[in-house]
């Protein structure tokens, strides 16, 4: 197995363990901050930065910034639906909101930056 791949897997597992630990603590709300640590962004930016130009890395970072919009749609849906619907329904609908917002983002990005 590639050692770099193993390292990436371990980072993901560490994030899951940290989320699990925090969700059971009195600081349960901090569990939502862990997925925003740029673990995978660091990997993506390193890979793009090594194989592409600085301008391409800059465009990747800008797209990453825009990708916060679908995440915001997801969080707003969870916030609004969590007191109205069961958990599974809330998460399903919030995920659908993320997918729709991500599709709109991809369409818009290709339309204006393609």
């Amino acid at each position: 197995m590639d050692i770099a791949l193993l390292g990436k897997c371990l980072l993901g597992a560490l994030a899951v363990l940290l989320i699990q630990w925090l969700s059971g603590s009195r600081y349960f709300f901090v569990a939502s901050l862990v997925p925003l640590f740029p673990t995978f962004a660091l990997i993506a930016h390193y890979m793009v930065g090594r194989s592409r130009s600085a301008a391409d890395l800059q465009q990747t970072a800008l797209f990453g910034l825009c990708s916060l919009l679908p995440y915001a749609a997801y969080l707003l849906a969870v916030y609004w639906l969590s007191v109205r619907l069961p958990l599974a329904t809330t998460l399903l609908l919030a995920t659908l909101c993320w997918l729709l917002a991500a599709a709109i983002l991809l369409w818009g990005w290709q339309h204006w930056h393609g």
Side-chain angles (χ1 to χ4, degrees):
M1 177 186 267
D2 182 15
I3 193 74
L5 181 59
L6 180 61
K8 293 169 193 170
C9 292
L10 290 174
L11 282 173
L14 180 63
V16 170
L17 289 172
L18 188 55
I19 291 168
Q20 177 64 38
W21 177 73
L22 284 167
S23 68
S25 77
R26 70 182 241 192
Y27 301 106
F28 60 90
F29 51 89
V30 179
S32 66
L33 183 61
V34 174
L36 297 178
F37 182 80
T39 305
F40 299 109
L42 284 166
I43 294 166
H45 294 152
Y46 175 77
M47 293 171 77
V48 170
R50 275 189 46 141
S51 63
R52 310 284 304 212
S53 69
D56 288 346
L57 178 57
Q58 187 179 39
Q59 186 173 3
T60 301
L62 180 60
F63 185 80
L65 186 59
C66 293
S67 73
L68 293 174
L69 295 171
Y71 189 64
Y74 170 83
L75 291 177
L76 287 170
V78 169
Y79 179 82
W80 191 76
L81 296 171
S82 63
V83 293
R84 292 169 172 79
L85 298 172
L87 177 62
T89 306
T90 294
L91 297 179
L92 175 65
L93 291 174
T95 301
L96 290 175
C97 288
W98 184 93
L99 288 168
L100 177 62
I104 292 168
L105 172 63
L106 288 170
W107 175 84
W109 189 267
Q110 290 179 350
H111 182 71
W112 286 293
H113 292 279

